[in-house]
Amino acid sequence: MQSINERIAAALSIPQAQVNAAVRLMDEGNTVPFIARYRKEVTGSLDDTQLRDISDKLSSLRNLEKRRGEIEASIDSQGAMTEELRAAIQNAATLSALEDLYLPYKKKRNTRASIAKAKGLEPLADRLAEQNAADDPAQLAAAYVNAASGVADVKEALQGASDILAERIADNARVRGSVRLLMERTGVLHSTSEHTEDGTYSMYYDHAEKLREIAPHRLLAICRGEKEGVLKAALETDPEACLTAVRQKTVTVPGTKAGDFVLEAGRDALKRRIYPSLENELRAHAFDTAAEQAISVFKLNLRPLLMQPPLKNRVVMGFDPAYRTGCKIAVVDETGKVLDVTVVYPTPPQNKTAEAKKTLAGLIEKHRVTAIAVGNGTAGKESEIFIADMLKDYAGKVEYAVVSEAGASVYSASKLGAEEFPQYDASLRSAVSIARRLQDPLAELVKIDPKAIGVGQYQHDMPQKRLGEALSGVVEDCVNAVGVDVNTASVSLLSYVSGVGPALAKNIVAYREEHGSFASRKALLDVPKLGKKAFEQAAGFLRVPGGKEPLDNTGVHPESYAAARTLLARCGFSEADLRGDGMPELDARVKSIGKSALASALGLGIPTLTDIVTELKKPGRDPREEIRNIALRADLKELSDLKPGMELEGTVRNVVDFGVFVDLGVHQDGLVHISRITKKFIRHPSEVLRVGDLVRVKVLDVDTKRKRISLTMLGVRQGKAQ
């Protein structure tokens, strides 16, 4: 049998030497971001995605081995272990195969078979199982009729024997394996409904599709429809084919009365025990597979959302749109500190446009606001048009951008939101969050449960623990890819830094508040409970701008400081150059020396040398790309304003299995089906598009009743919309 690492390597198509190295580092307590960034030579430059896949597979296989040991111990304790059975257990590659082998030895509740055994009918079942040609079941059963034992007649004796045989057949690993294979290959998931009206699940009112072929999003839709009581679904299979499989595994002497009796017991086993059990198992497996796909899509969407470019060193006004209750306003300074809050009423029903303009103009002048973040929620379009019109008077001195509100209400009503801003109500906290999202999307979004951010599909139906772990991994990777200013970061942001976590994050902030800003990375070692291992894992991802050590404001790990200084000297630079605007000439000087020769002289691997050079060229760099502005279509306010044939520019808000949803600014996102994204064949929309992309689309159809917009990108030239 292959080792765990061998199985991981085979499953993920990663060389085993790299898997071995990654597993060893993980077992030593190293985090994925640390391994991906600072142990490239050891792992062969495995990235964070590959490492998390290895980690997930490692956990799954170790759990499998744990269960294998438990099953072996249980059967050993019963004195029922044989060499053949032990070999079968050792060779079982899946949990279902293991559980099949364990089924006959599992303690059972009071069953029909156990009742029959208590009546003394097991010898009759044993005799019939032999399938002797001369045996007549009824004649054999007559000897077991005993009123005192609860066997009133021959019929009752035969029924008891059948119950015993049915349980044996149902517990037989070979039988279950054969039927499982048939159901996997041919099983059809059939959904039905008593509902007739048009609705969310209309296409599934009478829908049949092979379970192995059904698209993940359709399976999840059926499961949700069942949960909501709209749909009923069952896994249908060919009963005769399954019975044939049972016959092949149980009937040793066909054409005999005893053989026929065993076959009928097999039919009963199928109906009562095997079908229900395997249907639950196969549907659960299919759901888990679909859920993993949905989680993958969520991860794909979350990463670009978190990695949106920041708007640094700007005073920003957050504009949280609303109708009746008014639009909430919050002005924050360059560091995110709240300077002012208010409420204005430029939207229906009040329509106090002039008054709102005067109020906002006063705030802009008072605080020197240079950017406005407009939320995209209710009344978002009207608010955007209002802001765009107002800013005509500022001749480009004040810009605006539309910001996703997803999760803002969750944060504003959270314990964390109340702790940050106890003086404000939830709606004003939401305006603060919107402003900060424009300044630094990552720093603000980490305060929100990733599941509430609003990308992906069927997130509320997923196994919540698994979803939470997967999304937290994405957040962790993004936070560490960007780096964190240790002197300004919140507890929420610090919690995601490699090796830190919530408890140490609180200690870091508490120490900072008591002792003032950290002057160096080394000073972190004075934080209570932050030991050498945590420092090793975290140091490279924490930045100290303006500190004593200029390398502390780079992604160079302290363990490589000596090498970095030697590199600078060999290339004709000094540490003073690190405090400037960077060293763009560094690449050329490294090339002139020779990267391989330089790496050897410094005792570094090529990957680490490359990373150090990248950091030294531009100290304190932010890897996030430049922001792009979104064009406003002030003529589009409502769904009814859209007409087939219109070409528009929009922003990709969500990527799902079957297409992408595009924000056109009319409250309802439009759908570009996967078949209308590109003429090229693609397996998933994420191969072409990601959340935040600007795209040009053509309107195909507008269903105002169902609030659905059908879009296409085919035949539409990508660029500025006309």
Side-chain angles (χ1 to χ4, degrees):
M1 184 177 170
Q2 289 180 313
S3 68
I4 286 178
N5 287 4
E6 287 173 331
R7 281 178 277 171
I8 293 173
L12 302 179
S13 300
I14 297 173
Q16 191 182 334
Q18 291 177 273
V19 172
N20 292 343
V23 171
R24 184 177 67 254
L25 287 167
M26 291 173 187
D27 286 342
E28 290 171 357
N30 298 288
T31 68
V32 165
F34 177 80
I35 297 170
R37 180 67 173 81
Y38 298 111
R39 293 296 181 263
K40 290 181 179 178
E41 284 84 5
V42 180
T43 69
S45 296
L46 293 175
D47 62 28
D48 52 9
T49 300
Q50 292 172 305
L51 288 166
R52 292 200 183 279
D53 288 342
I54 290 172
S55 179
D56 289 345
K57 198 71 177 173
L58 180 65
S59 177
S60 173
L61 290 175
R62 282 180 171 173
N63 286 335
L64 179 66
E65 292 309 306
K66 181 182 177 184
R67 183 56 178 157
R68 194 189 311 276
E70 291 170 349
I71 287 173
E72 279 194 314
S74 176
I75 298 174
D76 278 333
S77 69
Q78 298 174 43
M81 184 65 76
T82 65
E83 289 304 312
E84 183 183 5
L85 179 57
R86 192 180 301 279
I89 292 172
Q90 285 297 318
N91 291 324
T94 64
L95 186 59
S96 60
L98 268 179
E99 297 297 346
D100 283 353
L101 292 167
Y102 184 47
L103 202 54
Y105 309 96
K106 229 174 184 178
K107 291 183 179 178
K108 296 181 176 63
R109 295 177 297 175
N110 206 26
T111 64
R112 285 166 50 170
S114 64
I115 294 170
K117 289 176 183 178
K119 293 178 179 180
L121 294 172
E122 190 165 22
L124 174 60
D126 291 340
R127 177 64 181 266
L128 290 170
E130 294 173 2
Q131 302 176 44
N132 296 314
D135 284 347
D136 184 302
Q139 290 179 358
L140 292 173
Y144 291 88
V145 175
N146 185 338
S149 300
V151 184
D153 51 34
V154 168
K155 183 179 178 181
E156 209 168 301
L158 289 173
Q159 183 60 59
S162 178
D163 291 339
I164 294 170
L165 290 174
E167 184 171 275
R168 290 179 184 176
I169 293 168
D171 290 352
N172 185 297
R174 294 173 65 237
V175 171
R176 289 180 66 86
S178 293
V179 178
R180 178 185 289 108
L181 189 61
L182 272 169
M183 292 178 72
E184 284 175 341
R185 288 176 175 174
T186 65
V188 172
L189 187 66
H190 187 188
S191 61
T192 58
S193 179
E194 295 178 356
H195 294 249
T196 56
E197 71 278 6
D198 196 20
T200 305
Y201 303 104
S202 302
M203 68 173 290
Y204 302 111
Y205 286 174
D206 187 12
H207 182 84
E209 193 170 358
K210 278 190 175 182
L211 186 64
R212 65 185 300 185
E213 296 175 358
I214 190 169
H217 66 274
R218 290 200 293 274
L219 177 64
L220 293 173
I222 291 170
C223 291
R224 179 179 285 184
E226 280 188 290
K227 190 175 180 180
E228 294 178 4
V230 179
L231 302 176
K232 291 182 179 179
L235 185 61
E236 298 173 349
T237 192
D238 184 349
E240 289 306 313
C242 292
L243 189 62
T244 298
V246 171
R247 181 188 293 112
Q248 291 170 346
K249 295 292 186 294
T250 59
V251 179
T252 56
V253 189
T256 63
K257 290 183 178 180
D260 292 344
F261 185 87
V262 170
L263 183 60
E264 286 305 306
R267 192 189 301 273
D268 180 47
L270 279 170
K271 183 180 178 180
R272 283 195 302 112
R273 298 178 65 112
I274 298 177
Y275 283 152
S277 172
L278 291 182
E279 178 177 7
N280 289 338
E281 177 191 312
L282 293 175
R283 287 195 60 186
H285 178 71
F287 176 84
D288 289 343
T289 302
E292 282 299 317
Q293 170 63 16
I295 289 170
S296 295
V297 170
F298 208 128
K299 289 162 62 179
L300 282 171
N301 289 340
L302 185 59
R303 189 180 293 269
L305 191 64
L306 293 173
M307 294 298 282
Q308 292 176 101
L311 193 66
K312 294 182 176 180
N313 304 315
R314 304 280 288 274
V315 178
V316 177
M317 176 184 292
F319 192 109
D320 185 11
Y323 288 119
R324 182 181 54 82
T325 57
C327 302
K328 283 64 179 185
I329 310 298
V331 179
V332 302
D333 71 7
E334 297 89 341
T335 66
K337 179 183 176 182
V338 180
L339 301 175
D340 225 324
V341 296
T342 191
V343 182
V344 295
Y345 300 88
T347 54
Q350 287 88 343
N351 292 311
K352 297 179 180 180
T353 306
E355 184 181 316
K357 282 186 178 181
K358 184 179 179 180
T359 300
L360 295 191
L363 291 173
I364 290 171
E365 295 298 325
K366 179 181 178 182
H367 300 294
R368 298 183 180 182
V369 174
T370 60
I372 300 176
V374 183
N376 69 338
T378 303
K381 189 61 185 180
E382 293 89 342
S383 299
E384 182 185 0
I385 293 169
F386 162 73
I387 291 293
D389 182 65
M390 187 189 81
L391 294 184
K392 290 177 182 177
D393 298 333
Y394 288 84
K397 294 179 181 179
V398 182
E399 302 172 298
Y400 85 92
V402 177
V403 176
S404 172
E405 287 186 23
S409 60
V410 175
Y411 161 76
S412 63
S414 69
K415 181 181 178 183
L416 177 59
E419 288 174 350
E420 275 200 283
F421 303 107
Q423 70 274 39
Y424 303 137
D425 65 22
S427 58
L428 287 172
R429 292 175 202 149
S430 184
V432 176
S433 180
I434 289 169
R436 287 178 167 182
R437 288 185 186 201
L438 186 59
Q439 287 184 315
D440 193 336
L442 179 60
E444 195 61 24
L445 289 172
V446 294
K447 300 175 183 178
I448 303 165
D449 185 337
K451 298 191 292 291
I453 291 178
V455 293
Q457 54 187 354
Y458 301 103
Q459 57 261 43
H460 300 297
D461 301 323
M462 301 297 99
Q464 293 302 291
K465 183 181 178 184
R466 171 62 186 138
L467 177 61
E469 290 171 348
L471 299 184
S472 291
V474 175
V475 179
E476 184 181 20
D477 291 338
C478 290
V479 168
N480 290 284
V482 172
V484 171
D485 185 339
V486 71
N487 287 320
T488 61
S490 66
V491 170
S492 300
L493 191 58
L494 285 167
S495 295
Y496 285 103
V497 173
S498 167
V500 176
L504 275 181
K506 289 178 181 177
N507 289 357
I508 291 171
V509 171
Y511 187 91
R512 187 177 73 200
E513 290 175 348
E514 181 179 351
H515 299 278
S517 297
F518 292 94
S520 67
R521 282 171 167 165
K522 281 185 179 179
L524 285 160
L525 290 167
D526 295 328
V527 173
K529 298 184 179 180
L530 201 158
K532 290 182 179 180
K533 187 67 177 180
F535 180 81
E536 177 194 50
Q537 300 295 302
F541 305 108
L542 296 171
R543 306 286 188 267
V544 188
K548 298 176 181 177
E549 169 59 73
L551 289 170
D552 283 350
N553 194 35
T554 72
V556 179
H557 196 280
E559 66 188 13
S560 297
Y561 279 8
R565 292 190 185 99
T566 304
L567 170 65
L568 287 171
R570 293 281 298 268
C571 293
F573 294 102
S574 68
E575 289 189 32
D577 293 309
L578 288 170
R579 299 189 185 277
D581 297 327
M583 293 166 277
E585 311 91 349
L586 186 58
D587 272 332
R589 297 189 188 184
V590 168
K591 187 177 180 180
S592 67
I593 298 171
K595 187 173 279 189
S596 296
L598 193 54
S600 179
L602 297 174
L604 301 173
I606 295 291
T608 296
L609 175 63
T610 302
D611 287 344
I612 291 174
V613 170
T614 300
E615 291 294 328
L616 297 180
K617 281 193 302 183
K618 195 174 180 181
R621 72 185 184 93
D622 191 321
R624 292 170 287 184
E625 58 192 15
E626 294 298 320
I627 196 166
R628 295 184 292 174
N629 292 320
I630 300 171
L632 173 68
R633 287 291 300 257
D635 57 322
L636 298 175
K637 297 181 183 180
E638 303 293 341
L639 195 64
S640 56
D641 293 327
L642 293 177
K643 305 297 179 187
M646 278 185 172
E647 288 192 13
L648 307 166
E649 189 176 58
T651 306
V652 176
R653 292 297 184 196
N654 202 2
V655 179
V656 294
D657 291 343
F658 51 87
V660 298
F661 288 96
V662 179
D663 180 8
L664 301 172
V666 293
H667 304 307
Q668 185 67 41
D669 292 343
L671 173 65
V672 183
H673 190 268
I674 187 173
S675 62
R676 296 176 177 141
I677 294 174
T678 176
K679 291 180 180 179
K680 299 186 298 181
F681 172 77
I682 55 174
R683 296 183 181 278
H684 197 273
S686 60
E687 296 174 30
V688 179
L689 297 169
R690 66 177 189 171
V691 171
D693 283 348
L694 294 182
V695 294
R696 285 185 70 227
V697 297
K698 181 187 290 185
V699 179
L700 292 177
D701 184 61
V702 181
D703 188 336
T704 54
K705 183 180 178 182
R706 301 172 69 183
K707 295 183 177 180
R708 292 182 179 179
I709 308 167
S710 297
L711 307 170
T712 184
M713 292 174 61
L714 299 178
V716 183
R717 186 176 177 183
Q718 295 305 305
K720 189 174 177 62
Q722 303 298 312

